[in-house]
Coordinates of all heavy atoms in Angstrom, one line a residue:
Chain D
K1854 N 0.6 6.0 -26.7 CA -0.4 5.1 -27.3 C -0.8 4.0 -26.4 O 0.0 3.4 -25.6 CB 0.1 4.5 -28.6 CG 0.0 5.5 -29.8 CD 0.3 4.8 -31.0 CE 0.1 5.8 -32.2 NZ 0.6 5.1 -33.5
T1856 N -1.5 0.2 -25.9 CA -1.1 -1.0 -26.7 C -2.3 -1.9 -27.1 O -2.1 -2.8 -27.8 CB -0.1 -1.8 -25.9 OG1 -0.6 -2.0 -24.6 CG2 1.3 -1.2 -25.9
L1857 N -3.4 -1.6 -26.6 CA -4.6 -2.5 -26.9 C -5.3 -1.9 -28.1 O -5.7 -2.7 -29.0 CB -5.5 -2.6 -25.7 CG -4.8 -3.1 -24.4 CD1 -5.8 -3.4 -23.3 CD2 -4.0 -4.3 -24.7
L1859 N -4.1 0.7 -29.9 CA -3.1 1.3 -30.8 C -3.4 2.7 -31.1 O -2.9 3.2 -32.1 CB -2.9 0.5 -32.1 CG -2.6 -1.0 -31.9 CD1 -2.6 -1.7 -33.2 CD2 -1.3 -1.2 -31.1
E1860 N -4.2 3.3 -30.2 CA -4.5 4.8 -30.5 C -4.0 5.5 -29.2 O -3.7 5.0 -28.2 CB -6.0 4.9 -30.7 CG -6.4 4.5 -32.1 CD -7.9 4.6 -32.2 OE1 -8.6 5.4 -31.5 OE2 -8.5 3.8 -33.0
R1877 N -11.0 1.9 -20.9 CA -12.0 1.1 -21.5 C -11.4 -0.2 -22.0 O -11.9 -1.3 -21.8 CB -12.6 1.8 -22.7 CG -14.0 1.4 -23.1 CD -14.4 2.1 -24.3 NE -15.0 1.1 -25.2 CZ -16.1 1.2 -25.8 NH1 -16.8 2.4 -25.7 NH2 -16.7 0.3 -26.5
E1881 N -12.2 -3.9 -20.3 CA -12.8 -4.9 -21.2 C -12.0 -6.2 -21.2 O -12.6 -7.3 -21.0 CB -12.9 -4.4 -22.6 CG -14.2 -3.8 -23.0 CD -14.2 -3.3 -24.4 OE1 -13.2 -3.5 -25.1 OE2 -15.3 -2.7 -24.8
W1882 N -10.7 -6.0 -21.3 CA -9.8 -7.2 -21.3 C -10.0 -8.0 -20.0 O -10.1 -9.2 -19.9 CB -8.4 -6.8 -21.5 CG -7.4 -7.9 -21.3 CD1 -6.4 -7.9 -20.3 CD2 -7.2 -9.1 -22.0 NE1 -5.7 -9.0 -20.3 CE2 -6.1 -9.8 -21.4 CE3 -7.8 -9.7 -23.1 CZ2 -5.7 -11.0 -21.8 CZ3 -7.4 -10.9 -23.5 CH2 -6.3 -11.5 -22.9
E1885 N -13.7 -9.4 -19.7 CA -14.2 -10.4 -20.7 C -13.2 -11.5 -20.9 O -13.6 -12.5 -21.4 CB -14.6 -9.6 -22.0 CG -15.8 -8.8 -21.8 CD -16.1 -8.0 -23.1 OE1 -15.7 -8.5 -24.2 OE2 -16.7 -6.9 -22.9
S1886 N -12.0 -11.3 -20.7 CA -11.1 -12.4 -20.9 C -10.4 -12.9 -19.6 O -11.1 -13.6 -18.9 CB -10.0 -11.9 -21.9 OG -10.6 -11.7 -23.1
K1887 N -9.2 -12.4 -19.3 CA -8.7 -12.9 -18.1 C -8.0 -11.8 -17.3 O -7.5 -10.9 -17.9 CB -7.7 -14.1 -18.4 CG -6.6 -13.7 -19.4 CD -5.8 -14.9 -19.8 CE -5.1 -14.6 -21.1 NZ -4.3 -15.8 -21.5
P1891 N -1.9 -7.4 -20.0 CA -1.5 -7.8 -21.3 C 0.0 -7.7 -21.6 O 0.5 -8.4 -22.5 CB -2.3 -6.8 -22.2 CG -3.4 -6.3 -21.3 CD -2.8 -6.3 -19.9
L1892 N 0.7 -6.9 -20.9 CA 2.1 -6.7 -21.2 C 3.0 -7.6 -20.4 O 4.0 -8.1 -20.9 CB 2.5 -5.2 -21.0 CG 1.9 -4.3 -22.1 CD1 2.2 -2.8 -21.8 CD2 2.4 -4.6 -23.4
R1894 N 1.7 -9.9 -17.9 CA 1.0 -11.1 -17.4 C 0.9 -11.2 -15.9 O 0.5 -12.3 -15.4 CB 1.7 -12.4 -17.9 CG 1.7 -12.5 -19.4 CD 2.0 -13.9 -19.9 NE 2.2 -14.0 -21.3 CZ 1.3 -14.0 -22.2 NH1 0.0 -14.0 -21.8 NH2 1.6 -14.1 -23.5
Chain X
M351 N -18.0 -2.1 -29.9 CA -17.1 -3.3 -29.8 C -16.5 -3.6 -31.1 O -15.3 -3.6 -31.3 CB -17.9 -4.5 -29.2 CG -17.1 -5.7 -28.9 SD -15.8 -5.3 -27.7 CE -14.4 -5.8 -28.6
K357 N -11.3 -0.5 -36.0 CA -10.3 0.5 -35.9 C -8.9 -0.1 -35.6 O -7.9 0.3 -36.3 CB -10.7 1.4 -34.7 CG -11.3 2.7 -35.1 CD -11.5 3.6 -33.8 CE -12.0 4.9 -34.1 NZ -12.2 5.7 -32.9
R358 N -8.9 -1.0 -34.7 CA -7.6 -1.6 -34.4 C -7.0 -2.3 -35.6 O -5.8 -2.3 -35.9 CB -7.7 -2.5 -33.2 CG -6.6 -3.5 -33.1 CD -6.2 -3.8 -31.7 NE -5.1 -4.9 -31.8 CZ -4.4 -5.3 -30.8 NH1 -4.5 -4.7 -29.6 NH2 -3.5 -6.2 -31.0
K361 N -5.6 0.0 -38.0 CA -4.3 0.5 -37.5 C -3.2 -0.5 -37.7 O -2.1 -0.2 -38.1 CB -4.4 0.7 -36.0 CG -5.0 2.0 -35.6 CD -3.9 3.0 -35.2 CE -4.5 4.4 -35.0 NZ -3.4 5.4 -35.0
E362 N -3.5 -1.8 -37.5 CA -2.5 -2.8 -37.6 C -2.1 -2.9 -39.1 O -0.9 -3.1 -39.4 CB -3.1 -4.2 -37.1 CG -3.1 -4.3 -35.6 CD -3.3 -5.7 -35.2 OE1 -2.8 -6.6 -35.9 OE2 -3.9 -5.9 -34.1
D365 N 0.2 -0.1 -39.8 CA 1.5 -0.3 -39.1 C 2.3 -1.3 -39.8 O 3.5 -1.2 -40.0 CB 1.3 -0.7 -37.7 CG 0.8 0.5 -36.8 OD1 0.8 1.6 -37.4 OD2 0.5 0.3 -35.6
P416 N -9.3 -7.5 -30.1 CA -8.1 -8.3 -29.7 C -8.3 -9.0 -28.4 O -7.3 -9.4 -27.8 CB -7.1 -7.2 -29.6 CG -7.8 -6.0 -29.1 CD -9.2 -6.1 -29.7
L417 N -9.6 -9.1 -27.9 CA -9.7 -9.8 -26.6 C -9.6 -11.3 -26.8 O -9.1 -12.0 -26.0 CB -11.1 -9.5 -26.0 CG -11.4 -8.0 -25.7 CD1 -12.7 -7.8 -25.0 CD2 -10.2 -7.4 -24.9
T447 N -4.2 -20.1 -25.1 CA -4.4 -19.7 -23.8 C -3.6 -18.5 -23.4 O -4.1 -17.7 -22.6 CB -4.1 -20.9 -22.8 OG1 -2.8 -21.3 -23.1 CG2 -5.1 -22.0 -23.0
A448 N -2.4 -18.4 -24.0 CA -1.5 -17.3 -23.5 C -1.7 -16.1 -24.3 O -0.8 -15.2 -24.3 CB -0.1 -17.8 -23.5
W449 N -2.8 -15.9 -25.0 CA -3.0 -14.7 -25.9 C -3.1 -13.5 -25.0 O -3.7 -13.5 -23.9 CB -4.3 -14.9 -26.7 CG -4.7 -13.6 -27.4 CD1 -5.7 -12.8 -27.0 CD2 -4.1 -13.0 -28.5 NE1 -5.8 -11.8 -27.9 CE2 -4.8 -11.9 -28.8 CE3 -3.0 -13.4 -29.3 CZ2 -4.5 -11.0 -29.9 CZ3 -2.7 -12.5 -30.4 CH2 -3.4 -11.4 -30.6
S450 N -2.5 -12.4 -25.5 CA -2.7 -11.2 -24.8 C -3.0 -10.1 -25.9 O -2.4 -10.2 -27.0 CB -1.4 -10.8 -24.1 OG -1.2 -9.4 -24.1
P451 N -3.9 -9.2 -25.6 CA -4.2 -8.2 -26.6 C -3.1 -7.3 -27.0 O -3.2 -6.5 -27.9 CB -5.3 -7.4 -25.9 CG -5.2 -7.7 -24.5 CD -4.6 -9.0 -24.4
A452 N -1.9 -7.4 -26.2 CA -0.8 -6.6 -26.6 C -0.1 -7.1 -27.9 O 0.7 -6.4 -28.5 CB 0.2 -6.5 -25.5
W453 N -0.4 -8.4 -28.2 CA 0.1 -8.9 -29.5 C -0.7 -8.3 -30.6 O -1.9 -8.0 -30.5 CB -0.1 -10.4 -29.5 CG 0.8 -11.1 -28.6 CD1 0.6 -11.5 -27.3 CD2 2.1 -11.6 -28.8 NE1 1.7 -12.1 -26.7 CE2 2.6 -12.2 -27.7 CE3 2.9 -11.6 -30.0 CZ2 3.9 -12.8 -27.6 CZ3 4.2 -12.2 -29.9 CH2 4.7 -12.8 -28.7

Side-chain angles (χ1 to χ4, degrees):
Chain D
K1854 277 188 178 176
T1856 46
L1857 302 190
L1859 304 176
E1860 281 174 30
R1877 208 188 134 129
E1881 260 177 7
W1882 168 247
E1885 290 177 27
S1886 294
K1887 52 189 163 181
L1892 288 177
R1894 298 194 190 281
Chain X
M351 186 58 235
K357 260 188 175 178
R358 162 147 174 167
K361 276 260 175 197
E362 284 197 30
D365 285 354
L417 301 184
T447 53
W449 169 255
S450 144
W453 289 89

